[in-house]
Amino acid sequence: MALVRYLMPIDSRELLVKSSRVKGCNHLVFNGLALVFVIYVHDHACAQVESDDSNIPVFTDAQFKSASPNSAFDKVLRFGSASYKFTRPYAQHEAIISTICIFARVLVENPQVFKWSVLFKAFPGLIAVMLAYAYYNGINQIYDVDIDRLNKPYLPIPAGELSLQQAWFLMIFDVLVGLLILRLMNADLITTSLYCLGLILGTFYSTPPFRFKESSVATVIVIPLITGIIQNIGVFYAATASLGLPFWSPSIVFITTFVTVFFVPISLIKDLTDVEGDLKHNIWTFTVTYGHKNIVAVSTGILLLNYIGAIAAAIYMPQAFKLNLMLPAHSLPATWLLIQEACADFFQFLWKLLGLEFLLFPFM
């Protein structure tokens, strides 16, 4: 919380809005999303801040000894830091933001069901989604160790910060605790099946003998299927089922379609920096086959069509979407996309655009 105040020094109580249960739902959702956005922006901003030698603290001999690399406390800190990096934080941001915003959309469309207890009951579900994403990214790193030593030597396993045994422990923990949470929440068969389907596809994507990631076509199918269809429909269904609401809604059709299409370019360009390792291990991704510039051009074209389709949906379905918000919310990112330089940070740039889409989704 201190870091949030550093970025935006305001009293968190100012984010609270006194209102009635029904009329206050939009305000509550807006303010909750504002806080999520602050944390999201701060986390990316912190990565750009260089260290200042003048702020390095001076330790006494006793403090230095207690903080030595061999101390138990230091080992715990290093393991925690490596475990956090192991989850690939940029993907966790998308998981957190998308889950919160889809649930917020359900509350905005059905303000009569809002209760504080609903938020507390939904929180374990968010943890389960985060654990699933941690598993997707972790199992991929375990089986990509040799490739990552060339392409991404900074990752915890190739960097020596995390052993394979520790990584497998985290994978087992993620799966078991995620399923236990669903059990404790009395998740129905459909919710549990969608969750398990995501875990199975995430496993097949990375592990032999399936290893879908070695096929460019399978990659473009599996990643959008998990993160676009299973994730969004699963969260929306779990939310509506737990609240006793009907599942069908134009909003879930829109966001599922938009995100699924969005993940096609993400699947295409995720290997832009991995060409050397992929070639050495005979993995023929689209980037290896067709080249950096062609893949970026195709990906940009798909995203532009996706934004145009979102605007068209608002024009043809004014009863379901707010054109005065949908138009700038998709025309401005599309323009930003065109002027963005296709550099090594282009992949991270797309994740930021996707996060922005979810942050605006409850109000569209």
Side-chain angles (χ1 to χ4, degrees):
M1 187 59 71
L3 293 176
V4 176
R5 293 196 183 98
Y6 171 79
L7 179 66
M8 183 173 290
I10 59 174
D11 189 335
S12 60
R13 289 174 295 180
E14 295 176 10
L15 294 175
L16 298 176
V17 178
K18 295 180 179 179
S19 55
S20 64
R21 175 181 300 174
V22 175
K23 293 183 179 180
C25 183
N26 287 341
H27 294 295
L28 177 67
V29 170
F30 177 81
N31 290 318
L33 291 173
L35 183 57
V36 171
F37 182 71
V38 168
I39 297 173
Y40 173 74
V41 173
H42 175 269
D43 192 65
H44 286 282
C46 284
Q48 308 298 326
V49 178
E50 297 181 355
S51 62
D52 183 0
D53 291 340
S54 63
N55 292 327
I56 298 177
V58 178
F59 294 96
T60 65
D61 291 339
Q63 290 172 321
F64 182 83
K65 183 177 180 180
S66 65
S68 65
N70 295 323
S71 70
F73 181 70
D74 184 75
K75 290 180 180 179
V76 171
L77 286 180
R78 283 188 281 116
F79 177 73
S81 176
S83 299
Y84 174 73
K85 290 168 61 178
F86 189 58
T87 66
R88 306 307 299 276
Y90 68 85
Q92 287 291 354
H93 295 161
E94 192 275 334
I96 295 170
I97 292 174
S98 63
T99 302
I100 291 176
C101 292
I102 290 174
F103 189 75
R105 178 72 187 202
V106 173
L107 294 180
V108 168
E109 292 182 350
N110 305 275
Q112 73 280 0
V113 302
F114 172 75
K115 296 178 181 178
W116 282 106
S117 59
V118 169
L119 300 183
F120 291 109
K121 290 179 181 179
F123 183 74
L126 173 61
I127 302 301
V129 172
M130 293 173 63
L131 290 171
Y133 267 70
Y135 175 78
Y136 301 151
N137 289 287
I139 198 72
N140 184 60
Q141 292 175 67
I142 288 175
Y143 283 93
D144 274 5
V145 174
D146 293 334
I147 300 175
D148 288 340
R149 287 194 178 100
L150 287 174
N151 294 336
K152 301 168 184 174
Y154 54 85
L155 291 178
I157 298 178
E161 300 174 9
L162 203 66
S163 68
L164 281 174
Q165 184 179 7
Q166 290 171 324
W168 275 113
F169 169 79
L170 291 174
M171 294 301 91
I172 296 171
F173 175 86
D174 291 339
V175 172
L176 293 182
V177 175
L179 293 175
L180 177 61
I181 289 174
L182 294 187
R183 175 64 178 171
L184 295 176
M185 294 181 69
N186 295 319
D188 63 15
L189 180 61
I190 295 178
T191 301
T192 305
S193 298
L194 288 172
Y195 190 85
C196 292
L197 179 60
L199 295 177
I200 292 171
L201 289 175
T203 302
F204 287 177
Y205 174 78
S206 300
T207 62
F210 309 97
R211 202 154 166 79
F212 293 150
K213 70 174 298 174
E214 293 185 353
S215 167
S216 297
V217 175
T219 296
V220 173
I221 294 174
V222 172
I223 291 180
L225 178 61
I226 296 175
T227 52
I229 298 176
I230 295 177
Q231 156 75 3
N232 294 306
I233 289 181
V235 171
F236 192 86
Y237 172 81
T240 54
S242 64
L243 296 172
L245 299 171
F247 172 73
W248 168 256
S249 171
S251 61
I252 190 57
V253 175
F254 163 76
I255 197 63
T256 299
T257 303
F258 183 91
V259 174
T260 301
V261 174
F262 202 103
F263 267 103
V264 172
I266 287 181
S267 303
L268 290 174
I269 70 168
K270 71 180 184 64
D271 299 314
L272 287 181
T273 59
D274 298 346
V275 175
E276 181 183 356
D278 290 340
L279 279 172
K280 184 175 180 179
H281 289 82
N282 200 30
I283 298 178
W284 290 90
T285 63
F286 281 116
T287 303
V288 171
T289 305
Y290 298 105
H292 179 285
K293 291 184 179 180
N294 291 331
I295 293 302
V296 170
V298 170
S299 299
T300 302
I302 293 174
L303 290 171
L304 289 176
L305 290 175
N306 202 24
Y307 280 117
I308 293 173
I311 296 173
I315 294 174
Y316 286 101
M317 299 184 69
Q319 72 281 5
F321 304 102
K322 300 174 183 177
L323 181 60
N324 59 346
L325 178 58
M326 289 281 281
L327 182 59
H330 295 94
S331 59
L332 292 178
T335 304
W336 192 12
L337 179 66
L338 286 174
I339 63 177
Q340 175 72 14
E341 182 181 359
C343 58
D345 294 332
F346 189 67
F347 181 66
Q348 297 297 334
F349 169 72
L350 295 188
W351 282 97
K352 293 177 183 178
L353 287 183
L354 184 60
L356 178 63
E357 181 73 21
F358 274 115
L359 286 170
L360 294 174
F361 175 60
F363 312 105
M364 292 179 180

